Each structure stands twice: as structure tokens, then as C-alpha cells.
Amino acid sequence: MFVSTVVNCETGEAELVEHDELPPVERRLIPKSVIQERVNAIGKLGAAFAVLQADPISFGRWFAPDCPNVYFDDEGLLAVLTEAGCTEAEIAAIVG
């Protein structure tokens, strides 16, 4: 059970509301150029590029000109970063 605070519009008072499950996480888009800059900043751009070169599907997805953004929780992105040797802390900083 989870509790959140909600302001009652009629009274203006804060009320505690109980929920059975967490609300869904809003998915954020991040420009791929920002991801590249952050990967480069930690010195793993070469490793990430090598991972992409070894997988034509991922390479095509990453460099598609009509898709300049990627979701922060994209499984393909996370797999490339992991395979490139990024730690969990580095991945959190990259997609954060």
C-alpha cells in the first residue's frame, strides 16, 4: 500500500490518499546526441560504437535520421550501454 498527498480543490486542505500500487512512471525522451555526449564524457563512446557496429539492427535504430530521441528506459539502449561496459551508476547518469 502506498500513500500520497492530494490537495482537496474545494477545501484547499491536504489529504492522504492510499493506493494499492504505484502510479506508472512517465517515460521521458532523451535526444540521442545527449546520450552520445554523456557516453563520451565517461570515455566509453568507442566501446558503445563497437557494440553498435556488431549489431546491424541496433546500429540502424540508433542512427535513423528520423528518430533523434530515445526513451530513457529503452531496452536496446540499456543493452548497448551494458555491453559497452557501463556500470549501473554510469547508466543512471547517462539516462538521468
Side-chain angles (χ1 to χ4, degrees):
M1 174 118 17
F2 303 94
V3 179
S4 63
T5 304
V6 177
V7 176
N8 184 316
C9 293
E10 293 176 7
T11 65
E13 295 181 14
E15 302 174 359
L16 295 179
V17 178
E18 295 181 353
H19 306 276
D20 291 330
E21 52 189 56
L22 286 172
V25 175
E26 183 178 332
R27 295 184 79 201
R28 290 180 295 106
L29 281 170
I30 304 173
K32 290 177 183 176
S33 59
V34 170
I35 299 292
Q36 290 172 336
E37 288 173 16
R38 292 176 180 173
V39 171
N40 186 48
I42 63 169
K44 298 202 175 163
L45 188 59
F49 189 66
V51 171
L52 290 172
Q53 285 182 309
D55 180 5
I57 301 298
S58 293
F59 186 92
R61 279 188 68 214
W62 187 260
F63 291 104
D66 60 340
C67 269
N69 303 307
V70 64
Y71 282 106
F72 78 101
D73 61 349
D74 181 86
E75 290 180 17
L77 168 65
L78 299 177
V80 167
L81 295 175
T82 300
E83 195 170 335
C86 295
T87 66
E88 286 185 29
E90 289 170 333
I91 291 172
I94 291 166
V95 301

